[in-house]
Amino acid sequence: YDELLEVYREGTQAGAYEDGIQLVISALLQAPSFLYLTELGVSEAAEHGDSVQRSDYELASELSYLMTGGPPDQKLLEAAAAGVLQLPAFRRSELRRLRAEHPESRDHLVRLVREWLQLDVIENTAKDPGVYPTYELYWRPLIDESHQFIAAVLDERERNTPRTSDLSTLLAADWTVGGKLLQELYSAEQLPAGKLKLASRRGILNQGAFLSVQAHARTSAPVLRGAVIARRLACIPVLPPGTAGVIALPPPPDPQLTTRERFEIHAVNPTCADCHDKLDDLGFTFEQYDGMGALRDNENGKPIDSHAQIAMGTDFDGSYPNSNALAEALATSTTVLECFARHMFRAGSARSVDSGGAQTALSEDAFIAHWRRLPDAARGNLMDILSAYVESPLFAERRTL
């Protein structure tokens, strides 16, 4: 209080009352206590890396921001006052209550999935209108689809299909959500409640949002699409080209060649081959779709080739005719299942192995050990993964910096 009063006085020295108040408000909005959630814990750590038990009110805030993206409600504050949030089972029940009672939790969970697959980037993704003249027409429906499909999967799982995991439905569903424009783009059949029955497309990876984001302004992008599958679905590290001293430039356009033919130069360039042999094959399975996700059977007068042999040392290695077959394999992969859990832990805990180093990697592995004890039917479900996290000691503790 004394400090803010001093700020106010400073503001009025060369101005009026309003100037002092404006300076106080500016100071408040820039204060670390306003910008950050401060955690003190209930015990003091001896040194860097020690664990501190979060207080009841810190746990209440963690639970609320994890599920709703906002501060605790009255019931959660009452639970904190009663001291019951130190109990893992009670944290789990409160997480479930927040999901049931707060409609905004639905959008918050949708955001986790969209960020996992980088679908949120479509809001800032543009295309060359000379190459994709209809993209602007489909842009908003593709954004809406990415929201509504994920929400429908989460809702359907919680209401009707306890034996089908969120992950398998997200990756292999033979339906989506959309209106007339998407029905035309996908050559789909209209179903009740705004759903579309898909003839061949399978899952979120074969939807226009993903395919548009993971493409260039004028062409499709096998490397981008393959890298996302490797990094975000298989948790296979893919180093940026710059770490190997390589300047990443796509092969130059050539009206005589397909995109696949242009990118196959990677296989004969020894500098590129080690990484691109694997990444490009993953991306080539999506070549049946152009840079905005429209189906195509030829490019530059040549037939599209979307078959690929995947050999990355995973349980989904094999031969695939296209990305739809790949998506169905990914939907049943234990490699992908574990990677999904890892990414949801990172999102829920706001921890990154890249920035947190070895200690964060140990925490993540500890969570995965906890996650593996879940029943098979629960390990691919977002709410079950988050529930496992809030029940674990990792949620109730934090490490000192």
Side-chain angles (χ1 to χ4, degrees):
Y1 173 81
D2 291 340
E3 290 84 354
L4 289 176
L5 187 57
E6 186 63 31
V7 170
Y8 166 76
R9 289 170 178 159
E10 184 70 25
T12 58
Q13 282 187 1
Y17 166 81
E18 291 81 1
D19 298 301
I21 294 299
Q22 183 176 358
L23 193 60
V24 168
I25 293 173
S26 178
L28 285 170
L29 293 177
Q30 296 177 67
S33 58
F34 178 83
L35 296 171
Y36 301 100
L37 178 64
T38 303
E39 293 184 352
L40 300 177
V42 295
S43 61
E44 292 186 2
E47 57 186 44
H48 167 77
D50 284 354
S51 293
V52 174
Q53 187 76 12
R54 287 188 168 114
S55 72
D56 294 285
Y57 287 99
E58 289 170 353
L59 289 172
S61 290
E62 288 286 328
L63 279 168
S64 186
Y65 279 97
L66 173 63
M67 184 48 57
T68 71
D73 63 9
Q74 187 59 37
K75 291 180 181 178
L76 201 47
L77 291 174
E78 290 171 358
V84 295
L85 294 180
Q86 299 294 342
L87 302 174
F90 204 91
R91 295 198 297 269
R92 177 190 179 94
S93 67
E94 280 298 286
L95 189 78
R96 298 280 178 172
R97 180 189 65 77
L98 291 170
R99 174 70 179 100
E101 295 182 4
H102 289 262
E104 65 270 27
S105 66
R106 186 175 186 252
D107 291 337
H108 197 61
L109 295 178
V110 168
R111 194 190 83 180
L112 293 184
V113 177
R114 292 184 80 235
E115 290 179 350
W116 166 49
L117 294 174
Q118 299 180 334
L119 301 177
D120 53 322
V121 179
I122 191 172
E123 277 88 344
N124 301 308
T125 297
K127 300 293 175 185
D128 185 332
V131 179
Y132 301 113
T134 61
Y135 176 71
E136 287 297 320
L137 181 66
Y138 290 107
W139 178 71
R140 175 50 60 181
L142 293 179
I143 293 174
D144 293 342
E145 177 193 23
S146 74
H147 284 272
Q148 294 166 9
F149 172 71
I150 296 167
V153 170
L154 298 179
D155 289 348
E156 182 175 277
R157 162 65 177 80
E158 292 181 10
R159 286 197 309 260
N160 303 320
T161 54
R163 290 170 297 179
T164 303
S165 79
D166 297 334
L167 180 63
S168 63
T169 305
L170 285 168
L171 295 179
D174 62 355
W175 57 271
T176 188
V177 181
K180 187 68 174 177
L181 282 173
L182 279 189
Q183 182 183 359
E184 294 172 355
L185 180 64
Y186 293 166
S187 299
E189 175 189 349
Q190 189 71 55
L191 297 175
K195 285 188 175 181
L196 299 175
K197 176 73 172 179
L198 301 171
S200 60
R201 291 181 191 243
R202 293 295 177 264
I204 199 165
L205 300 178
N206 290 289
Q207 292 177 5
F210 177 83
L211 296 166
S212 294
V213 168
Q214 305 305 331
H216 299 301
R218 299 175 58 86
T219 67
S220 60
V223 177
L224 296 182
R225 292 170 177 177
V228 169
I229 303 300
R231 287 186 179 119
R232 296 185 172 264
L233 280 92
C235 286
I236 296 172
V238 178
L239 296 176
T243 60
V246 176
I247 300 175
L249 294 173
D254 188 331
Q256 306 301 316
L257 301 176
T258 65
T259 300
R260 179 167 187 154
E261 287 174 329
R262 290 191 297 114
F263 276 82
E264 282 179 338
I265 190 175
H266 288 151
V268 297
N269 185 329
T271 305
C272 306
D274 283 348
C275 289
H276 284 280
D277 275 350
K278 299 182 173 105
L279 294 184
D280 291 9
D281 281 337
L282 282 170
F284 287 151
T285 65
F286 292 91
E287 275 302 283
Q288 62 186 323
Y289 301 114
D290 67 15
M292 60 168 275
L295 188 67
R296 61 183 178 181
D297 55 16
N298 69 84
E299 182 185 12
N300 292 333
K302 294 185 175 183
I304 288 293
D305 180 6
S306 60
H307 86 278
Q309 183 73 34
I310 308 302
M312 303 187 73
T314 70
D315 61 351
F316 58 84
D317 284 359
S319 180
Y320 296 97
N322 53 48
S323 57
N324 292 299
L326 176 62
E328 292 179 335
L330 295 174
T332 61
S333 163
T334 56
T335 298
V336 175
L337 190 68
E338 180 175 313
C339 187
F340 178 63
R342 287 183 181 276
H343 277 284
M344 292 306 103
F345 170 75
R346 294 170 191 174
S349 65
R351 303 183 191 187
S352 167
V353 174
D354 292 337
S355 61
Q359 193 60 62
T360 298
L362 289 173
S363 296
E364 185 176 301
D365 289 341
F367 168 72
I368 291 300
H370 184 73
W371 166 82
R372 286 181 180 137
R373 292 195 287 272
L374 291 176
D376 289 347
R379 286 187 289 167
N381 297 321
L382 183 52
M383 278 301 298
D384 289 321
I385 293 170
L386 295 180
S387 296
Y389 169 51
V390 302
E391 284 183 308
S392 73
L394 294 164
F395 184 83
E397 299 174 355
R398 69 171 178 82
R399 292 190 179 274
T400 57
L401 300 177

